[in-house]
Amino acid sequence: MLHPKKVLVTVGIFFIVAVLLVPMGIVGSEYMPRTDESAIQVNIELPIGYNAEQTNEVLLLFDDYLLNIPEIEHHLSNVTTTESNGKISISLYNRRERSKDVWQIADDIRTFAKTNLGDVKVRVNEIQSSVTGVSGGKTLVRSPIQIELKGSDMSLLIKESEKVQKIFQETAGIKDIKSSYTEGVPELKVTADRDKLKFYGTTLANVIKSFSAAVSGKNAGVLANDPNNRGHDTDITVKFSGSDGFFINDIKSIPVPAENGNVYLGDIANVEESIGPITIRRVNKERIINIQSNLTDRPLNEVLQELKSKLEQSDLQCTYEFTGQATSMNDSFKEMAMALSMSLLLIYLLLAVLYESIFTPLIRMFSLPLGIIGAIVCLLLTGNTINLYSLIGILVMDGLVAKNGTLLLDYTLTLMHQGKNALEAVIEAGKVRLKPIFMTALTMVVGMLPTALAMTEGSETRVSMAWVIIGGMITSTVFTLIVIPIIFLWIQKHYPNKI
């Protein structure tokens, strides 16, 4: 063959450039691709202190807006158990029956909320119920980017969480930022003074009993056969008038029994206004604040690398850890790399036994790099990413592209056993095996096209896998007929007894 070194160098450059597209970020990587499943969930959060009626007014504004979106089939709004929070579940028409995809509609909703709802926090999530690890169905939504801040000082965590949220806001590709920390609700804090309790001759139990009876009420018996309760018994509870809206002076005026009569609660306890936390979250005995966000059109790994770089430069005074899809992506990629390595090793061992040679199956192993060239380039041209499904596609492709080299090598060895020299055998094998190699490759490419074109709802998850197989089959089929014979002839020349 003419210029074998130039051919190998050229193919080697193609392979190196293709592989470098991934670490350079030209071909992105993520855990799972996005899917259009015709469902959106909107969560609204009003400032602390708002009631269910005010939350419902915001939901009614959303209702009026959503009714004018032609792509929406129906939607359901409700106020959650926390009165200042609401939720809207939206179902869209089938993807073929609408002009906009789910991400465009979600962005329109975000724009409406930002323009018309002021301080109301709105998170819009495109439901991906069929994607493992991304969403827990139609009601549970997990954001792709999550970070947990950990520490023992809650005030420091709050300060650092605000710094992290600012970093999120300044990072392109991030939307719908949410912190698990919610400012507490106003409360009245009562702290008993034990010295005064002793001086007035009363106890902490009396304070608790009197306070509970005044605010929550005390059971005073049962009204039997109550005509206003359809003849059923009615519990009688006695409490102070207006106890549902006590002010600080009302609390201080609650009487508490003592040795010489009653004393006021304000005489034996300190009553002050404060802010009480809604929830306290701990992991491994450390307080945590979870910050999460959704992605726009940037790959997950690209955004994570930028966030990690910015967080390292921000000198946070607490520990932090990425969770969610970031962890799932790293774990899955490691497991897929191990699976690919094991499959290559097992295939090599099997072929070594069948060919009774350690060099012959080694030649066949070059089929995978030749396929990876087309796989990555195809992902680049179609705008797909390296994800769990595309890695599965590489595993499948390895088995498919291997048959090209196997067909070529097997017939070459057969011709050599019949008395032909290596060069004649390679050329003859290439001519004879060209048609079956092209036929099987073409069959596989055409068979994967419906999957690659994502013709059904939710099929976006499998698109990258299909394009990996298509691209790998094309380049492997072309390069195998050129590269494998060159490598075979070189080994035959230098190690003739090893073939």
Side-chain angles (χ1 to χ4, degrees):
M1 291 188 178
L2 299 176
H3 311 296
K5 292 183 179 179
K6 292 182 179 180
V7 173
L8 292 179
V9 170
T10 302
V11 174
I13 292 174
F14 284 158
F15 174 73
I16 294 172
V17 171
V19 172
L20 287 178
L21 293 176
V22 179
M24 291 174 63
I26 299 176
V27 175
S29 56
E30 59 186 346
Y31 177 52
M32 288 284 188
R34 300 189 303 173
T35 59
D36 184 346
E37 299 186 24
S38 303
I40 299 174
Q41 181 173 300
V42 181
N43 294 285
I44 68 169
E45 181 181 338
L46 277 71
I48 297 298
Y50 281 69
N51 55 33
E53 183 177 349
Q54 293 168 311
T55 304
N56 188 56
E57 291 177 1
V58 175
L59 291 175
L60 290 175
L61 286 176
F62 258 113
D63 286 341
D64 294 338
Y65 169 71
L66 296 177
L67 288 173
N68 296 319
I69 299 179
E71 291 82 8
I72 294 180
E73 184 176 10
H74 54 77
H75 66 276
L76 174 66
S77 306
N78 66 286
V79 179
T80 63
T81 52
T82 304
E83 293 185 344
S84 60
N85 292 353
K87 183 176 69 174
I88 305 174
S89 300
I90 302 172
S91 292
L92 308 178
Y93 285 103
N94 188 285
R95 192 176 61 180
R96 298 178 182 177
E97 301 175 11
R98 47 187 163 88
S99 58
K100 294 183 178 181
D101 59 38
V102 68
W103 300 287
Q104 292 174 315
I105 298 170
D107 286 339
D108 291 342
I109 295 174
R110 292 186 184 95
T111 302
F112 167 79
K114 186 176 181 180
T115 305
N116 297 278
L117 300 183
D119 295 334
V120 177
K121 296 180 181 179
V122 178
R123 282 176 54 82
V124 184
N125 297 282
E126 304 88 359
I127 298 298
Q128 301 182 67
S129 58
S130 66
V131 181
T132 305
V134 174
S135 175
K138 298 288 184 181
T139 58
L140 177 62
V141 177
R142 300 188 182 99
S143 300
I145 297 181
Q146 297 188 41
I147 184 173
E148 288 185 348
L149 308 180
K150 302 178 182 180
S152 56
D153 187 343
M154 192 63 188
S155 59
L156 178 62
L157 278 182
I158 296 172
K159 180 181 177 181
E160 296 300 290
S161 70
E162 294 173 353
K163 187 186 298 184
V164 172
Q165 289 182 70
K166 185 177 180 181
I167 292 175
F168 273 46
Q169 292 169 357
E170 296 172 349
T171 303
I174 289 181
K175 61 187 178 183
D176 301 327
I177 303 168
K178 179 184 178 182
S179 172
S180 64
Y181 171 76
T182 305
E183 186 178 349
V185 294
E187 67 178 10
L188 293 176
K189 186 177 181 180
V190 180
T191 306
D193 188 324
R194 295 185 181 274
D195 292 334
K196 291 183 178 180
L197 290 177
K198 185 177 181 181
F199 176 80
Y200 285 105
T202 186
T203 63
L204 185 61
N206 288 338
V207 173
I208 296 174
K209 185 177 180 180
S210 299
F211 180 82
S212 176
V215 177
S216 302
K218 183 178 181 180
N219 192 348
V222 176
L223 177 61
N225 304 320
D226 183 3
N228 295 323
N229 193 18
R230 299 180 181 180
H232 299 293
D233 295 345
T234 301
D235 293 330
I236 300 174
T237 302
V238 179
K239 62 179 180 179
F240 282 18
S241 176
S243 61
D244 294 334
F246 269 175
F247 294 101
I248 188 170
N249 289 330
D250 298 321
I251 298 295
K252 290 181 178 181
S253 300
I254 295 176
V256 179
E259 285 184 355
N260 300 319
N262 292 330
V263 295
Y264 292 115
L265 182 61
D267 295 332
I268 56 176
N270 181 34
V271 183
E272 59 183 356
E273 295 180 348
S274 64
I275 300 296
I278 295 179
T279 58
I280 297 177
R281 301 184 62 187
R282 286 189 174 89
V283 173
N284 296 330
K285 299 182 180 180
E286 285 188 300
R287 288 195 174 189
I288 70 164
I289 293 180
N290 179 280
I291 299 174
Q292 53 184 282
S293 68
N294 292 328
L295 289 174
T296 52
D297 53 355
R298 291 184 69 189
L300 174 62
N301 191 56
E302 183 179 328
V303 175
L304 285 176
Q305 296 305 319
E306 183 175 343
L307 286 176
K308 289 177 181 178
S309 176
K310 291 182 176 180
L311 290 172
E312 289 174 358
Q313 299 173 8
S314 64
D315 296 326
L316 292 179
Q317 302 301 311
C318 62
T319 59
Y320 63 90
E321 178 184 8
F322 282 96
T323 59
Q325 284 192 42
T327 303
S328 300
M329 181 180 66
N330 292 332
D331 293 343
S332 298
F333 281 14
K334 290 178 182 177
E335 292 172 0
M336 291 302 295
M338 183 178 295
L340 181 59
S341 301
M342 291 298 297
S343 68
L344 292 175
L345 178 61
L346 292 174
I347 290 173
Y348 175 79
L349 294 175
L350 176 62
L351 292 177
V353 172
L354 295 176
Y355 282 115
E356 298 181 353
S357 169
I358 61 173
F359 278 88
T360 303
L362 189 62
I363 300 172
R364 169 257 170 238
M365 305 306 289
F366 283 94
S367 298
L368 179 59
L370 300 177
I372 287 179
I373 296 174
I376 298 179
V377 171
C378 215
L379 290 177
L380 174 64
L381 296 177
T382 57
N384 286 287
T385 61
I386 297 291
N387 53 65
L388 184 59
Y389 280 91
S390 55
L391 291 178
I392 293 174
I394 291 176
L395 273 175
V396 175
M397 180 195 69
D398 179 41
L400 295 174
V401 300
K403 57 86 183 172
N404 294 337
T406 303
L407 286 173
L408 196 60
L409 283 176
D410 185 67
Y411 194 60
T412 300
L413 294 175
T414 299
L415 293 175
M416 290 179 65
H417 290 157
Q418 294 176 359
K420 291 189 177 184
N421 62 46
L423 180 59
E424 293 175 344
V426 164
I427 294 175
E428 181 67 22
K431 293 179 180 178
V432 174
R433 295 301 191 189
L434 180 62
K435 184 176 179 179
I437 288 176
F438 268 45
M439 289 175 61
T440 53
L442 183 61
T443 302
M444 181 56 63
V445 169
V446 173
M448 295 304 296
L449 277 177
T451 303
L453 297 176
M455 294 183 174
T456 58
E457 284 192 27
S459 61
E460 294 90 346
T461 54
R462 301 180 292 276
V463 168
S464 57
M465 179 181 66
W467 283 119
V468 162
I469 295 175
I470 291 173
M473 290 299 300
I474 293 174
T475 57
S476 175
T477 300
V478 174
F479 287 142
T480 294
L481 296 172
I482 302 172
V483 175
I484 296 299
I486 293 176
I487 298 174
F488 177 81
L489 290 175
W490 185 87
I491 294 179
Q492 174 64 26
K493 179 180 179 181
H494 293 83
Y495 306 95
N497 297 325
K498 300 297 183 179
I499 298 295

